[in-house]
């Protein structure tokens, strides 16, 4: 290496990596490199008493601060006969109000009836035939090899389960199954073998413990089969961990049989068309994700599983079903996989999450699943009812108009209300219009009362 390059390498050594910087240094770095101002950087120095920088920095890498998301409470929920106050963290207006209103209507007929499976998850280990040549073909199994390898694995099931369970006290692998998979479109040559650990994660979501178990048995699998392990990871398609809910919405509160008919058309649309179904499911996930965010769940895992489940019969469909009861009321049902936990992960370290769980006052992860699935159904009801009736913009617009009034500079509550009403009334919810109204108020041309 020439002298110049050598000295560059030494210089690089003296430059701290972002992760090595102290919090203040990270902010200084961003001021220099990413054009944030002193004022911007101050936002990231303001930590609540029990959620200081160190805590955030222990949760993720390269932390600089956190982004607050509004936290609210959905009311009126009666689930399996018990009343709940349900914390939801979400930035979208109308979601919490809509869920609460739907829950109130459902409560007339007893509220939500919900049930959830035990917390059974799957960890997958991918096995390919040991490399015999450079030819990819040899890395997949032929029929004879498949039978040999499967037999060895199943003969060693007890031992493998023992190894999987050797490091965990509360969570247990309860079964081990073997599948062979092949897909014409990706490999024309043959099969892989997938070993699946079936694990009861109890009150935890379980990702860490599942991945640990898969990694623990991988060396033994390679030893006994003389094959090669590639992936060792949980499956987020948590179909052994389903949650279901049903509720009845009385006809007289939702526009009678005409109202119900329109809602059923809305459902038929979502059931049969993917472009509508995705939006329909997005709406019900507003509710589920809101509770998931407030209670510290892995929202990405929940979303991935829900949308995969929506296509379980080969076509992406609505995750809810709606029909008319014999009495002429509207009945809604929902069924989704829900891998959630109330122990482990951030549930025991995140101060806000701990309070949300306290508000729910639940003892089991299963109970949280019941709550989430009920909120999902309520949210879906609220959305399709509004859409099948006057549309959602009117309700949305009121809250949106308040935000616009604040953006335009309104500070006092009364002024915000007046501006929001005028914006909606004139069907012109823009910052410019809001500024015009503020000017008129300041000139006393519109009363501030
Ligand atoms: C908006 O976040 C959700 C809705 O679009 C859901 C739906 O269309 O059913 C209103």
């Amino acid at each position: 290496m020439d002298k110049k390059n050598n000295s560059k390498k030494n210089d690089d050594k003296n430059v701290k990596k972002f992760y090595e910087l102290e919090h203040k240094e990270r902010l200084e770095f961003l001021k220099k490199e990413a054009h944030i101002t002193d004022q911007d950087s101050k936002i990231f120095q303001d930590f609540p008493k029990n959620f200081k920088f160190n805590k955030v920095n222990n949760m993720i890498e390269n932390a600089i601060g956190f982004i607050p998301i509004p936290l609210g409470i959905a009311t009126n929920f009666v689930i399996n006969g018990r009343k709940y106050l349900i914390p939801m963290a979400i930035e979208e207006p109308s979601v919490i109000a809509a869920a609460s209103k739907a829950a109130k209507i459902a409560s007339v007929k007893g509220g939500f009836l919900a049930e959830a499976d035990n917390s059974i998850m799957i960890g997958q280990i991918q096995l390919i035939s040991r490399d015999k040549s450079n030819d990819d073909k040899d890395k997949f199994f032929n029929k004879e090899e498949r039978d040999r390898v499967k037999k060895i694995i199943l003969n060693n099931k007890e031992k493998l389960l023992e190894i999987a369970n050797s490091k965990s006290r509360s969570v247990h692998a309860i079964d081990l199954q073997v599948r062979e998979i092949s897909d014409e479109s990706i490999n024309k040559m043959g099969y892989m073998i997938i070993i699946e650990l079936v694990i009861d994660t109890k009150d935890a979501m379980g990702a860490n413990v599942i991945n640990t178990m898969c990694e623990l048995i991988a060396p033994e699998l390679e030893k006994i089969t003389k094959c090669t392990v590639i992936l060792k990871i949980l499956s987020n398609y948590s179909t052994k961990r389903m949650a279901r809910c049903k509720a009845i919405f009385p006809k007289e509160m939702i526009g009678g049989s005409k109202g119900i008919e329109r809602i059923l058309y809305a459902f038929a649309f979502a059931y049969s068309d993917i472009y509508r179904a995705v939006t329909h499911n997005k709406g019900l996930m507003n509710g589920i994700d809101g509770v998931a965010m407030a209670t510290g769940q892995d929202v990405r895992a929940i979303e991935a599983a829900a949308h995969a489940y929506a296509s379980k019969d080969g076509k992406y469909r609505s995750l809810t079903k709606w029909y008319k009861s014999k009495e002429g009321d509207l009945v809604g049902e929902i069924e989704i996989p829900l891998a959630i936990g109330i122990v482990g992960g951030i549930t025991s370290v995140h101060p806000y999450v701990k309070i949300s769980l306290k508000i729910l006052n639940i003892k089991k992860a299963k109970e949280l699943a019941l709550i989430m699935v009920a909120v999902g159904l309520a949210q879906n009801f609220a959305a399709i009812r509004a859409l099948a009736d006057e549309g959602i913009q009117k309700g949305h617009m009121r809250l949106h108009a308040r935000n616009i009034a604040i953006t335009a500079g309104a500070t006092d509550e009364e002024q915000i209300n007046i501006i929001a009403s005028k914006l909606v009334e004139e069907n012109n919810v823009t910052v410019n219009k809001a500024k015009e109204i503020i000017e008129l108020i300041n000139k006393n041309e519109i009363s501030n009362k």
Side-chain angles (χ1 to χ4, degrees):
M1 189 182 284
D2 65 24
K3 231 176 172 178
K4 206 167 138 205
N5 272 343
N6 222 343
S7 84
K8 184 170 182 317
K9 205 176 166 208
N10 286 339
D11 279 355
D12 283 352
K13 257 197 198 155
N14 293 329
V15 176
K16 279 195 193 169
K17 303 265 172 19
F18 194 81
Y19 71 86
E20 293 170 327
L21 301 177
E22 298 292 325
H23 184 215
K24 282 220 163 81
E25 293 173 317
R26 290 182 188 178
L27 297 178
E28 283 307 316
F29 176 87
L30 291 178
K31 275 199 253 171
K32 247 187 20 226
E33 301 291 327
H35 317 294
I36 70 167
T37 64
D38 278 341
Q39 214 176 347
D40 296 331
S41 121
K42 275 206 186 87
I43 289 181
F44 296 122
Q45 288 162 43
D46 217 7
F47 287 86
K49 218 167 89 203
N50 52 359
F51 202 34
K52 295 286 180 213
F53 173 73
N54 275 353
K55 213 163 201 172
V56 178
N57 200 40
N58 279 330
M59 288 169 76
I60 61 161
E61 309 73 32
N62 292 357
I64 58 165
F66 61 91
I67 288 195
I69 294 175
L71 179 67
I73 301 286
T75 55
N76 306 324
F77 273 85
V78 178
I79 304 167
N80 295 345
R82 197 191 135 180
K83 286 183 180 170
Y84 289 93
L85 291 172
I86 306 179
M88 294 175 73
I90 189 156
E91 87 303 338
E92 187 172 324
S94 303
V95 169
I96 297 180
S100 306
K101 200 167 161 193
K104 193 167 185 183
I105 298 174
S107 70
V108 173
K109 294 272 177 187
F112 299 86
L113 280 182
E115 56 166 40
D117 296 340
N118 285 340
S119 308
I120 306 296
M121 297 284 284
I122 279 177
Q124 298 187 300
I125 298 133
Q126 178 191 22
L127 202 66
I128 57 162
S129 186
R130 187 145 286 172
D131 303 20
K132 284 168 274 189
S133 68
N134 284 333
D135 185 354
D136 259 356
K137 214 174 188 150
D138 282 341
K139 295 183 186 120
F140 293 91
F141 293 103
N142 59 35
K143 168 88 176 106
E144 198 183 303
E145 265 182 316
R146 263 174 6 241
D147 291 345
R148 178 188 71 81
V149 168
K150 271 163 62 181
K151 204 163 153 203
I152 295 173
I153 296 170
L154 291 173
N155 283 344
N156 283 276
K157 183 165 154 174
E158 290 313 314
K159 186 169 181 209
L160 288 163
L161 284 174
E162 207 174 289
I163 297 171
N165 286 325
S166 60
K167 293 255 161 81
S168 158
R169 262 175 290 144
S170 53
V171 168
H172 293 293
I174 51 177
D175 198 6
L176 179 148
Q177 55 206 29
V178 189
R179 290 199 292 132
E180 38 186 67
I181 59 167
S182 166
D183 194 312
E184 271 291 299
S185 58
I186 187 115
N187 73 78
K188 298 212 178 353
M189 45 291 238
Y191 286 79
M192 297 170 245
I193 287 182
I194 308 300
I195 296 95
E196 291 183 337
L197 276 176
V198 181
I199 301 162
D200 184 353
T201 66
K202 306 257 170 54
D203 288 317
M205 186 273 187
N208 276 329
V209 68
I210 300 167
N211 294 340
T212 304
M213 285 183 176
C214 291
E215 290 186 10
L216 274 173
I217 67 166
E220 183 66 16
L221 277 169
E222 289 197 329
K223 195 171 116 194
I224 58 176
T225 59
K226 299 191 173 37
C227 295
T228 302
V229 165
I230 307 286
L231 297 194
K232 327 170 252 301
I233 186 76
L234 90 158
S235 167
N236 283 122
Y237 194 34
S238 44
T239 55
K240 292 184 189 291
R241 211 173 174 177
M242 301 297 296
R244 303 163 202 90
C245 180
K246 180 175 174 174
I248 302 172
F249 298 85
K251 54 177 180 294
E252 53 281 5
M253 295 182 78
I254 53 175
S257 54
K258 268 251 157 59
I260 291 180
E261 195 181 308
R262 291 179 68 89
I263 291 173
L264 294 180
Y265 277 121
F267 163 60
F269 185 9
Y271 187 76
S272 35
D273 176 61
I274 183 170
Y275 284 89
R276 173 58 203 147
V278 169
T279 319
H280 176 103
N281 289 342
K282 184 271 180 189
L284 68 90
M285 295 310 286
N286 278 344
I288 290 173
D289 291 353
V291 184
M293 287 291 289
T295 56
Q297 308 304 321
D298 182 340
V299 180
R300 286 85 53 207
I302 294 171
E303 283 278 339
H307 294 292
Y309 192 70
S311 356
K312 66 179 186 310
D313 56 9
K315 184 171 170 175
Y316 187 97
R317 294 189 191 280
S318 148
L319 284 162
T320 52
K321 282 203 168 81
W322 294 94
Y323 55 93
K324 206 169 168 175
S325 72
K326 270 199 228 111
E327 293 72 30
D329 296 317
L330 179 71
V331 187
E333 287 180 18
I334 182 171
E335 182 182 53
I336 58 163
L338 267 181
I340 44 102
I342 60 165
V343 298
I346 67 164
T347 53
S348 44
V349 292
H350 197 300
Y352 295 77
V353 163
K354 284 204 273 188
I355 298 171
S356 287
L357 288 170
K358 207 186 252 181
I359 294 171
L360 284 174
N361 190 19
I362 50 176
K363 303 266 176 309
K364 296 261 149 225
K366 249 190 186 189
E367 205 176 340
L368 180 56
L370 306 181
I371 292 166
M372 288 169 72
V373 86
V375 175
L377 186 62
Q379 209 72 61
N380 185 229
F381 165 77
I384 54 174
R385 182 182 179 223
L387 289 167
D389 189 16
E390 61 172 13
I392 54 164
Q393 280 313 84
K394 215 164 159 190
H396 259 299
M397 274 305 154
R398 263 220 75 74
L399 278 172
H400 179 56
R402 287 179 58 82
N403 282 332
I404 292 290
I406 295 165
T407 312
T411 46
D412 116 342
E413 185 61 22
E414 218 162 343
Q415 203 181 70
I416 295 168
N417 280 335
I418 291 169
I419 298 166
S421 301
K422 284 234 165 294
L423 293 174
V424 174
E425 219 173 85
E426 296 187 21
N427 203 9
N428 184 3
V429 187
T430 60
V431 176
N432 279 345
K433 185 71 197 166
K435 282 186 177 159
E436 260 174 43
I437 301 171
I438 293 176
E439 243 171 64
L440 293 174
I441 292 174
N442 289 342
K443 286 192 209 150
N444 279 331
E445 286 175 30
I446 293 182
S447 161
N448 198 9
K449 292 272 163 274

